[in-house]
Amino acid sequence: PCAAPAPTPAIPPIDPDVLRDLERLSRELGGRVDRLLRGLGGAVQELTALSVGCIQTYRDAVDSLGEAVDMSIKGMYTLLARCEELERALQPVQGLARQVRDIRRTLEVLEALC
C-alpha cells in the first residue's frame, strides 16, 4: 500500500481591487509615518536647543558665581589687611588709655586728700 499524494489546495485568484486598495493604504501609512518622523525630528531639535540653552545658562551662572566668590575672598583679605593696619595704628592709643587711667587714679587720690 503506497500512500497517495495529498491533494494540493487550490489558490484562489488575486483580486486586482484588493491589490490597489492595499497599495493605496500602504502609501497612506508611509505618508503618515513620514509626517510622524518629521514631527518627532522637530520636537527632538527643539528639545536639543532647549537643553543647550539650559546648559549654557548653567555654565554662565557657575562662571559668575566663581568670579563672585573670588572677588569676595579678595575683599576679605583686603579687609583683614586694613584691620591689621588699623590695629598697628591704634597701638599708641592703648598707651594713652593707660596714661589716662593713671591720671584718673591720681586725681581720685588727690580729691580724696582734699
Side-chain angles (χ1 to χ4, degrees):
C2 291
T8 57
I11 299 175
I14 298 174
D15 185 5
D17 291 335
V18 171
L19 286 178
R20 280 190 288 275
D21 286 345
L22 186 60
E23 184 178 356
R24 180 183 52 80
L25 291 173
S26 65
R27 282 192 182 129
E28 281 181 26
L29 181 62
R32 289 181 184 181
V33 169
D34 284 343
R35 285 191 299 276
L36 176 68
L37 290 177
R38 272 190 244 117
L40 285 175
V44 167
Q45 286 177 350
E46 289 175 9
L47 290 174
T48 301
L50 181 64
S51 296
V52 167
C54 289
I55 289 170
Q56 289 172 342
T57 302
Y58 178 76
R59 181 201 61 213
D60 294 344
V62 168
D63 289 344
S64 176
L65 179 64
E67 290 173 8
V69 168
D70 286 344
M71 298 272 297
S72 295
I73 290 171
K74 289 176 185 176
M76 185 58 67
Y77 279 123
T78 302
L79 177 64
L80 288 173
R82 289 194 178 157
C83 287
E84 289 173 358
E85 289 173 10
L86 182 62
E87 183 183 8
R88 281 193 298 273
L90 291 178
Q91 281 179 354
V93 173
Q94 292 175 355
L96 290 174
R98 279 193 297 274
Q99 288 176 356
V100 169
R101 280 193 300 270
D102 291 342
I103 292 171
R104 276 189 188 163
R105 275 191 233 122
T106 304
L107 283 176
E108 288 173 2
V109 170
L110 289 175
E111 285 177 356
L113 292 175
C114 293

